[in-house]
Amino acid sequence: MTTAAPSEHRPRHIAIVMDGNGRWAKARHRPRSFGHNAGRKAVREVIEACLRERVPVLTLFAFSSENWRRPQEEVGALMTLFVRALDKEVDELSAHGVRLRFIGDLTAFDQPLRERMHAAMQATAANAQLQVNVAVNYGGRWDIAQACRQLAQAVVDGHLQLQDIDEARIDQGLTLAGQPELDLLIRTGGEYRLSNFLLWQAAYAELYFTDTLWPDFDQACLQRAIADFVHRERRFGCTGEQVATSD
Ligand code: FPP
């Protein structure tokens, strides 16, 4: 039995794999796009909850680099949804102090959507209440690979020595560089995997899985996940006794 006290710390960075839209729609005999639309409301719910709970960073997995394999119709519906969400929500998000950031390989998106993403990032750049990172065409392996490519280029250019490449340097090249460490990684929809999301950052994150389908995930659900996190003991490789005496 461990004697260490549970962590009293509130999460500073929460990430979510928003899964279950398709099944939610299927249960209602509706197309998958209906589920994605409902999922948009759940995004609003968690943003509101993070603002209320004073969580400074929220990272959402909206579209993985593997999601292009879905039927063309579904990919098209998701793109339309992203454009509509940007057109409708950015002003209100900004009024609440939300800073939006898109992470992933944005070059794959068509010009109008890319422009909207860049405009939303610019328009909200000065906000500091809540940072919302939206991962689109994102993969954790891609993120690590692009960081390594930058370092390799620096070596080739003579700005960096091979022996200076370490974890901190790779970290600095990742798309979430400079943001607080990931504390809590949530996955909805009853699956137990990371699906290539934030692989590097998940190293010491607390994982929280729930059967709730994403469109049903509301503010109370997020509060339950945070309450669960607060009672976890985070050891970072130490023993429970060491953690207890360092508090
Ligand atoms: C996974 O559910 C969900 C997605 C691939 C898309 C996520 C998109 C949203 C929640 C839309 C709103 C987002 C923003 C940022 C405006 P799934 O389709 O894999 O569900 P299934 O496992 O039940 O099939």
Side-chain angles (χ1 to χ4, degrees), residues 18-23 32 36 43 62 67 70 81 85 214:
M18 309 180 287
D19 197 15
N21 294 347
R23 278 165 285 162
R32 296 177 59 83
H36 295 315
V43 170
N67 284 152
R70 293 191 173 202
L81 189 147
W214 177 247

Side-chain angles (χ1 to χ4, degrees), residues 16-17 19 186-192 208-214 217 221 224-225:
I16 310 181
V17 179
D19 197 15
I186 299 171
R187 180 170 187 141
T188 63
E191 310 279 3
Y192 301 88
Y208 180 90
F209 298 100
T210 168
D211 289 338
T212 303
L213 301 176
W214 177 247
F217 196 85
C221 294
R224 270 197 293 279

Side-chain angles (χ1 to χ4, degrees), residues 153-191:
Q153 188 65 55
V155 173
V156 168
D157 295 343
H159 303 313
L160 185 69
Q161 298 292 309
L162 201 53
Q163 57 271 23
D164 292 333
I165 295 181
D166 56 10
E167 291 182 18
R169 293 227 187 236
I170 295 176
D171 204 71
Q172 282 159 19
L174 295 171
T175 49
L176 292 181
Q179 298 197 23
E181 286 270 331
L182 178 60
D183 287 320
L184 174 61
L185 176 56
I186 299 171
R187 180 170 187 141
T188 63
E191 310 279 3

Side-chain angles (χ1 to χ4, degrees), residues 89-246:
E89 319 271 6
V90 171
D91 288 348
E92 195 188 334
L93 288 173
S94 196
H96 284 91
V98 173
R99 178 177 187 171
L100 271 177
R101 168 108 187 273
F102 291 89
I103 58 164
D105 183 3
L106 305 188
T107 59
F109 297 105
D110 67 19
Q111 185 74 4
L113 182 51
R114 272 206 323 258
E115 277 170 13
R116 278 178 170 88
M117 288 178 185
H118 284 295
M121 286 193 271
Q122 263 177 355
T124 61
N127 296 338
Q129 207 68 28
L130 168 66
Q131 167 94 38
V132 176
N133 303 303
V134 184
V136 284
N137 194 26
Y138 176 90
R141 291 178 176 177
W142 165 85
D143 201 1
I144 296 166
Q146 66 80 29
C148 292
R149 205 159 41 240
Q150 288 179 47
L151 292 176
Q153 188 65 55
V155 173
V156 168
D157 295 343
H159 303 313
L160 185 69
Q161 298 292 309
L162 201 53
Q163 57 271 23
D164 292 333
I165 295 181
D166 56 10
E167 291 182 18
R169 293 227 187 236
I170 295 176
D171 204 71
Q172 282 159 19
L174 295 171
T175 49
L176 292 181
Q179 298 197 23
E181 286 270 331
L182 178 60
D183 287 320
L184 174 61
L185 176 56
I186 299 171
R187 180 170 187 141
T188 63
E191 310 279 3
Y192 301 88
R193 44 175 184 267
L194 296 183
S195 297
N196 198 15
F197 189 42
L198 302 181
L199 296 181
W200 178 278
Q201 296 86 346
Y204 284 103
E206 293 296 322
L207 307 180
Y208 180 90
F209 298 100
T210 168
D211 289 338
T212 303
L213 301 176
W214 177 247
D216 291 327
F217 196 85
D218 59 14
Q219 300 194 33
C221 294
L222 189 76
Q223 273 158 358
R224 270 197 293 279
I226 293 175
D228 189 273
F229 170 87
V230 167
H231 290 99
R232 302 252 187 119
E233 180 197 75
R234 303 185 81 194
R235 293 202 288 269
F236 300 101
C238 298
T239 66
E241 287 72 18
Q242 285 174 308
V243 175
T245 50
S246 71

Side-chain angles (χ1 to χ4, degrees), residues 28-40:
R28 287 157 182 78
H29 310 287
R30 303 296 296 267
R32 296 177 59 83
S33 55
F34 183 72
H36 295 315
N37 266 306
R40 192 171 136 188

